[in-house]
Amino acid sequence: MPPIRPLSLITGASAGIGAAFARALAARGHDLVLTARRVERLETLADELRRKHNATVTVLPNDLADPAAPQQLCDALAQRGLHVDWLINNAGYGVPGTFESNSWTAHADFIQVLMTAPTELAWRLLPAMREHGYGRIINVASLAAHVPGSVGHTLYSASKAYLVKFSQSLALENRHLGVNVCALCPGFTWSEFHDVTGSRDMMNKLPGLMWQTAEEVVHQGIDAVEYGKVVYVTGRVNRIIKTLVKLMPDRLSLWLSARQSRRFRKLE
């Protein structure tokens, strides 16, 4: 049985999908631990959730690009006697440009944040979930995990595909112990993601039916993990795209990916 007030740890909670998860889970009666780099945004969100939902909200600023960050975060939880029931591995960003146009440091930080940190947090927090017989892990992946890689943003699709496969194995290993794991795969989502990567003008060329709000993504993601769905693509349009790409010959899907990359990816 779930606890009366589950505790949810949300990474990348300062904006976008992460902040939407915080609001949605607080509304469902969860207490929260919020982590991201931007302290002021976290504190503002925490104050909002305390006032609106009477939630206990702990702010633990951290930069997951630091290899020591996951352990430091879990140590801080242990020092406060906090047991995490829901882990939302949401922190992420994009690295514009082609592979060779970025430094190795940029790539290494990206791999740390998008792949290593969520894996380590799951490894560190999963044993207590198993012991308690209850837990939920949502790894925020992407529709990009289900379509060919692109020209530019070289590691993005690869990192999201990793999260999908990781989630599948983790779900199979733990569902008999009351721990549900879901790879949540949104498509284009209204947030500041494309502003940060400098691709907003290009993204604005896409038709409105391609977009979802962060709130829509989060609502579907919470339902998906509760229902035991292991991989969930949000939105009907995104599910159609996934199916069409799966049915296409690889040569055709790669050609389409290359063509669309030039239109919607910042390559420098």
Side-chain angles (χ1 to χ4, degrees), residues 18 55 66-67 85 104 118 146 183 188-189 203 213 218-219 226 230 263:
D66 180 356
D85 301 292
W104 175 246
H146 303 283
F188 294 108
T189 306
M203 292 297 104
T213 66
V218 165
H219 174 75
E226 287 284 56
V230 177
R263 294 178 61 193

Side-chain angles (χ1 to χ4, degrees), residues 1 16 25 29 31 42 68 71 84 106 114 135 138 156 162 164 176 178 234:
M1 294 293 292
L25 291 172
D31 293 324
L42 290 178
Q71 181 171 351
V84 172
L114 273 289
I138 297 177
Y156 190 79
Y162 166 80
V164 168
H176 66 290
T234 66

Side-chain angles (χ1 to χ4, degrees), residues 9-254:
L9 168 61
I10 305 169
T11 70
S14 61
I17 292 175
F21 262 116
R23 293 186 174 100
L25 291 172
R28 289 174 178 240
H30 288 222
D31 293 324
L32 303 169
V33 177
L34 308 180
T35 187
R37 293 176 300 168
R38 295 178 287 189
V39 183
E40 290 185 4
R41 286 199 178 192
L42 290 178
E43 293 289 0
T44 299
L45 178 60
D47 288 342
E48 172 195 329
L49 300 178
R50 291 175 188 128
R51 291 193 310 270
K52 189 171 183 179
H53 300 292
N54 198 31
T56 299
V57 185
T58 304
V59 172
L60 296 175
N62 220 322
D63 183 357
L64 291 178
D66 180 356
Q71 181 171 351
Q72 291 172 351
L73 188 56
C74 292
D75 289 345
L77 293 169
Q79 291 168 5
R80 291 164 173 79
L82 298 175
H83 162 71
V84 172
D85 301 292
W86 284 56
L87 169 61
I88 312 296
N89 277 319
N90 166 74
Y93 59 99
V95 177
T98 56
F99 189 60
E100 78 284 352
S101 67
N102 286 285
S103 69
W104 175 246
T105 299
H107 292 313
D109 287 350
F110 180 88
I111 292 169
Q112 174 65 34
V113 174
L114 273 289
M115 298 172 67
T116 305
T119 307
E120 183 175 351
L121 285 172
W123 181 81
R124 292 186 178 280
L125 297 173
L126 182 60
M129 294 181 184
R130 291 166 59 101
E131 182 180 346
H132 285 78
Y134 175 82
R136 301 289 184 264
I137 298 175
I138 297 177
N139 294 316
V140 179
S142 172
L143 175 64
H146 303 283
V147 301
S150 62
V151 180
H153 290 256
T154 316
L155 299 181
Y156 190 79
S157 293
S159 70
K160 297 303 186 178
Y162 166 80
L163 287 177
V164 168
K165 296 301 182 183
F166 172 57
S167 299
Q168 289 173 330
S169 293
L170 211 57
L172 293 174
E173 292 173 3
N174 293 282
R175 61 185 176 185
H176 66 290
L177 296 171
V179 179
N180 292 357
V181 182
C182 178
L184 178 63
C185 301
F188 294 108
T189 306
W190 292 113
S191 72
E192 59 183 45
F193 178 91
H194 299 291
D195 299 307
V196 173
T197 61
S199 57
R200 172 60 62 195
D201 290 342
M202 291 181 282
M203 292 297 104
N204 286 342
K205 298 175 184 177
L206 289 168
L209 59 83
M210 296 289 294
W211 293 88
Q212 288 185 290
T213 66
E215 290 73 21
E216 289 171 331
V217 168
V218 165
H219 174 75
Q220 293 180 38
I222 292 173
D223 285 348
V225 76
E226 287 284 56
Y227 290 143
K229 296 182 185 294
V230 177
V231 179
Y232 188 77
V233 178
T234 66
R236 183 177 300 175
V237 171
N238 294 324
R239 291 191 288 273
I240 291 172
I241 291 171
K242 177 194 171 186
T243 300
L244 290 175
V245 169
K246 188 175 181 180
L247 295 173
M248 283 181 190
D250 289 346
R251 184 174 181 179
L252 175 58
S253 62
L254 283 170

